[in-house]
Amino acid sequence: MSGIFSPGKLMLTSEYFAMDGALVLAVPTRLGQEFYFRETDNGESLIFWEAYHQNKLWLRAVINYKNWQVRETNIPSGAEFILKTLQNVQLLSEIKFKNNFTYHLKTNLQFPADFGLGSSSTLMTNLGEWADVDSFHLNKISLGGSGYDIAVAKEKSAVLYQSVPEIKYDKVNFNPPFKNELIFIHLNQKQDSREGISLYKSKNKSKKQVSEFSDLTRKILLCNELENFSELMVIHEQKISDFIEIPAVKSRLFMDCPVFVKSLGAWGGDFVMSSKFDGFKDYFWGKGFNTIFEWSEIINS
């Protein structure tokens, strides 16, 4: 089988406001999703799909793509999502699912599914590369969202990303001198970003607010000192909290933490970013958060 790999991502700035065109700074993770494929000219028009989570089989499905029926599966809801996504691939592609070939397709998610590092975006990126279709378009019609995570997965690099008025992004070298002071803590749950997005969309926002987050992103990208970076993280977090009217994660879970704590992506789950301080591991472990990564362990820079 031939293979493709796309890295996961962490969104450092402009969560929610990304959908209205605020500049996003996002970075790739060391772990991502592998995609393997083999095609056989046997006239059967079948798709054999296997999805693994950390090398353990999670979803399997057999799909007839002439009538788009799931012949067999162990998870009907998962198979239905894959079926609809592959229908979109067929719609966009000039080469895939246009004949009677049988396709053996296998994915392997290298990180736990509840990490929120981009299981869907890495899938869309891999499928786009395999089928020679626009991954942003495939993602839009299959999932929605701003698309920043597709840019990270495609470029395998930190990016500055903007979705409005049109998608544009640049690879950037985000390698701050204080990176080894930064830590990433998992909050023991996967956040459904659709809930936060619905809340955000229900609120009126101004061009000035969008511009403020773009300005913050530019300043954060250029930071050379941890103190300045920390101050900008606190400002960013408070602005989001004030707008969506949800308490910031520090005030909810880490009120007595001596340094900044910033949500990454949708609020309420997944990862937060902070910085080291004396006894930081004991502090977070004592609150029940045992999954802590240093920069070099999770970020692919």
Side-chain angles (χ1 to χ4, degrees), residues 35-47:
F35 179 75
Y36 301 97
F37 50 90
R38 187 177 76 246
E39 302 172 16
T40 307
D41 184 3
N42 62 3
E44 294 186 355
S45 306
L46 294 176
I47 302 165

Side-chain angles (χ1 to χ4, degrees), residues 35 38 96 108 111 137 156 184 189 195 227 230 240:
F35 179 75
R38 187 177 76 246
K96 301 302 183 187
N108 180 45
F111 51 82
H137 192 184
K156 298 177 174 59
F184 301 84
Q189 60 182 344
E195 295 177 11
E227 184 177 359
S230 300
I240 296 284

Side-chain angles (χ1 to χ4, degrees), residues 5 19 47 65 88 108 115 132 139 166 196 213 259 284 293:
F5 170 79
M19 292 179 290
I47 302 165
Y65 66 86
N88 290 334
N108 180 45
F115 269 22
D132 194 24
N139 183 69
E166 61 185 10
F213 283 98
V259 296
F284 290 110
F293 292 105

Side-chain angles (χ1 to χ4, degrees), residues 25 174-178 216-233:
L25 174 60
F174 184 63
N175 202 26
F178 50 82
L216 275 172
T217 294
R218 293 187 188 97
K219 290 176 181 176
I220 288 165
L221 176 63
L222 297 175
C223 268
N224 287 316
E225 296 179 356
L226 179 59
E227 184 177 359
N228 185 24
F229 182 84
S230 300
E231 290 172 356
L232 292 171
M233 291 291 107

Side-chain angles (χ1 to χ4, degrees), residues 162-205:
Q162 199 164 26
S163 62
V164 176
E166 61 185 10
I167 289 175
K168 58 181 181 180
Y169 57 92
D170 293 302
K171 293 172 66 172
V172 293
N173 179 26
F174 184 63
N175 202 26
F178 50 82
K179 66 182 182 181
N180 292 329
E181 293 301 312
L182 299 177
I183 53 174
F184 301 84
I185 305 102
H186 190 245
L187 296 183
N188 302 333
Q189 60 182 344
K190 174 81 172 70
Q191 178 64 10
D192 185 346
S193 59
R194 288 172 295 186
E195 295 177 11
I197 288 171
S198 296
L199 174 63
Y200 170 82
K201 285 183 173 178
S202 71
K203 296 178 177 294
N204 294 321
K205 70 282 300 183

